[in-house]
Amino acid sequence: MRDKPIEKLIKSEEKRQAEGLELIPSENYVSEDVLKANGSVFTNKYSEGYPGRRYYGGQEFTDGVERLAIERACKLFNCKYANVQPHAGAPANVATYFALMEPGDTIMGMDLSHGGHLTHGHPVTYISKIFRFIRYKMKNIETGEIDYEEMLEVAMREKPKIIMAGYSAYTRELDYAKFSEIAKKVGALAIMDAAHIAGLIAGGAHKNPFDYGFDLILTTTHKTLRGPRGGMILTRDNEEIAKKIDKMVFPGFQGGPLMNTIAAKAVCFGEALTPAFKKYATQIIKNARVMAKVFLDNKIRLIGGGTDNHCVLADVYGSLGVTGKEAQTVLDEVGITLNMNMIADDPRKPLDPSGIRFGTPAITTRGFKEKECKRVAELMVKVLKNKDNKKIKESVHKEIKALAKKFPIPKKFV
Ligand code: DSN
């Protein structure tokens, strides 16, 4: 590369990723093929519109790429329609709201501190000024059980047009049938924001919301799904809804699609259709459960009481007197990257909350099984309990580096 400062930063990031362990639950490593497609000449091409009806010439090959991405996405999630153009998860969510609602309409979503996402209506977002967001919460923070009775009661009263499921920091599998039943009762659409667990659904390790009557699944493509950074909107079988979505994504909301990213999405979906991906999806959960158990055995409170997915949410402040920010910093020092996170009804502030959130997608991609995950969790607890002990931190860092070396980031998965 001729741009030396940027080359140096890329190389440094490569080294950081290779030598440390990535436990941020929304991050992963893509295959060399995904990376190649993402860095391909399709980045040069404008292709506003959809396959067969574009506004620019020279679309002989872009159409093939987008058609393949759509076909594979539909096969993967067992649905009829896919829009693979959203640049990321937030635009996918916002375009969906605008496609299916009028300003002032009501959307019901999970409270942010109980695991919901900003785009499900947090007051800091601009969409919260356009639509009316109402909340539901967990009924029992210790088990993660959602308060379905309250959800029904509030939905009956407030008549939302959309009920959103799917979260950023939630560890239990959902009762999709209950969501659908409530949505039907009040005439709302049931929509799943599957960004975090799309790979678990695609790999058959989690139930598919479409099998339980959900109307749409919105997702990113770069988390458990292990593709390029991007978004996607899936519609089960309603052509009218799918048409509204297409119209809102383009020209309603976005301009030219990122064809290089769509090519990379197609490659990722192809990889996710293989038996190897099923094994990976199942292993993610086994690994997260082992890590959760180590924390529980050490009497560290977990929000939801454990995990059914890729993610663990620990109340480190309540259990160890270490704040989320301190935990994030001290673990970073020993080569473990994760993020501080609010816990349900957190008494502390978002920039120094009570919790940490960590997950297993990236280390599972690296080939970690239960044995290694148990060890990593033990080392995390050791560091958290001895956060000021330099000697312990040095020895843990050494062990983490050795583990990372033993499990290099793979270039191929199938
Ligand atoms: N930033 C994503 C996450 O880390 O969960 C959600 O947008």
Side-chain angles (χ1 to χ4, degrees):
M1 193 182 256
R2 285 166 56 194
D3 189 327
K4 292 302 166 197
I6 289 294
E7 182 182 46
K8 196 170 161 214
L9 290 166
I10 292 174
K11 289 261 180 271
S12 303
E13 176 62 12
E14 265 173 21
K15 188 168 172 324
R16 187 195 70 81
Q17 291 189 13
E19 289 183 356
L21 296 186
E22 189 51 72
L23 294 189
I24 293 177
S26 47
E27 293 189 11
N28 214 329
Y29 309 109
V30 297
S31 70
E32 202 172 49
D33 287 349
V34 167
L35 213 50
K36 249 188 207 163
N38 211 29
S40 71
V41 289
F42 279 113
T43 199
N44 300 332
K45 189 73 200 105
Y46 252 120
S47 40
E48 284 176 10
Y50 290 100
R53 42 197 178 95
R54 310 265 191 200
Y55 294 84
Y56 293 77
Q59 307 294 342
E60 297 91 311
F61 307 111
T62 51
D63 280 3
V65 162
E66 189 163 349
R67 282 199 177 105
L68 258 183
I70 291 170
E71 187 189 306
R72 289 177 184 173
C74 289
K75 198 167 169 196
L76 204 50
F77 289 90
N78 193 21
C79 60
K80 264 182 110 167
Y81 305 99
N83 186 308
V84 294
Q85 293 194 2
H87 299 330
N93 291 5
V94 176
T96 302
Y97 300 157
F98 277 96
L100 305 176
M101 297 194 305
E102 295 300 324
D105 281 349
T106 302
I107 308 172
M108 188 176 214
M110 175 80 118
D111 188 88
L112 186 81
S113 91
H114 281 231
H117 189 253
L118 287 169
T119 57
H120 302 173
H122 195 276
V124 297
T125 60
Y126 82 94
I127 43 166
S128 70
K129 294 169 182 53
I130 296 169
F131 302 109
R132 190 174 148 256
F133 287 91
I134 54 171
R135 316 246 141 266
Y136 60 89
K137 285 188 168 189
M138 283 183 271
K139 178 183 188 171
N140 184 342
I141 296 169
E142 307 313 318
T143 62
E145 193 193 345
I146 304 269
D147 198 339
Y148 292 105
E149 291 98 56
E150 198 198 10
M151 186 191 291
L152 175 63
E153 198 189 303
V154 176
M156 295 283 269
R157 193 177 62 233
E158 306 288 344
K159 298 274 180 287
K161 285 220 170 139
I162 286 176
I163 298 183
M164 291 289 291
Y167 318 109
S168 286
Y170 181 76
T171 55
R172 293 304 188 183
E173 196 166 13
L174 294 172
D175 188 341
Y176 295 123
K178 268 210 173 112
F179 270 94
S180 289
E181 196 188 307
I182 295 171
K184 275 207 181 74
K185 253 190 195 148
V186 302
L189 291 166
I191 301 187
M192 173 68 179
D193 181 343
H196 266 257
I197 60 160
L200 305 181
I201 297 169
H206 261 208
K207 292 175 285 192
N208 184 340
F210 283 144
D211 295 339
Y212 298 84
F214 268 60
D215 300 286
L216 291 104
I217 296 179
L218 319 178
T219 185
T220 52
T221 48
H222 50 272
K223 298 187 175 92
T224 45
L225 200 48
R226 209 164 55 182
R229 304 196 80 77
M232 152 164 91
I233 301 170
L234 304 164
T235 306
R236 192 183 66 221
D237 54 11
N238 188 317
E239 191 182 358
E240 199 187 323
I241 289 180
K243 278 188 174 156
K244 283 184 183 168
I245 295 283
D246 282 354
K247 236 173 137 175
M248 187 50 69
V249 171
F250 176 83
F253 194 58
Q254 291 188 171
L258 312 175
M259 283 318 296
N260 54 317
T261 304
I262 292 176
K265 286 175 186 173
V267 174
C268 146
F269 302 153
E271 290 175 355
L273 282 163
T274 62
F277 193 86
K278 282 193 186 326
K279 274 197 190 155
Y280 146 82
T282 311
Q283 190 66 46
I284 285 177
I285 301 176
K286 287 185 190 166
N287 286 350
R289 285 201 165 129
V290 164
M291 295 185 83
K293 185 170 182 309
V294 171
F295 271 63
L296 287 173
D297 289 348
N298 278 277
K299 310 232 169 328
I300 300 173
R301 177 181 178 234
L302 299 184
I303 305 306
T307 187
D308 297 328
N309 57 30
H310 63 304
C311 179
V312 179
L313 194 55
D315 176 6
V316 284
Y317 186 70
S319 310
L320 302 171
V322 181
T323 71
K325 191 176 180 181
E326 284 171 340
Q328 178 184 297
T329 307
V330 77
L331 288 166
D332 233 343
E333 281 171 30
V334 300
I336 293 172
T337 314
L338 46 66
N339 66 285
M340 57 182 169
N341 212 94
M342 298 281 278
I343 59 167
D345 301 332
D346 203 326
R348 299 183 61 83
K349 297 263 185 297
L351 275 174
D352 195 9
S354 299
I356 52 170
R357 183 187 71 152
F358 60 93
T360 52
I363 51 174
T364 304
T365 292
R366 249 175 136 138
F368 279 45
K369 296 259 168 39
E370 289 92 322
K371 183 176 152 225
E372 293 79 27
C373 288
K374 180 169 181 280
R375 185 64 189 146
V376 172
E378 285 167 357
L379 292 173
M380 287 166 74
V381 172
K382 192 170 175 181
V383 169
L384 291 173
K385 286 186 174 172
N386 297 279
K387 69 179 173 57
D388 299 315
N389 186 323
K390 214 170 152 222
K391 226 171 165 185
I392 287 183
K393 285 194 284 186
E394 273 170 13
S395 91
V396 170
H397 197 184
K398 221 166 136 192
E399 196 171 335
I400 293 295
K401 269 192 172 171
L403 256 178
K405 199 166 176 194
K406 197 169 160 201
F407 291 85
I409 299 167
K411 293 192 182 315
K412 290 186 177 60
F413 310 136
V414 288

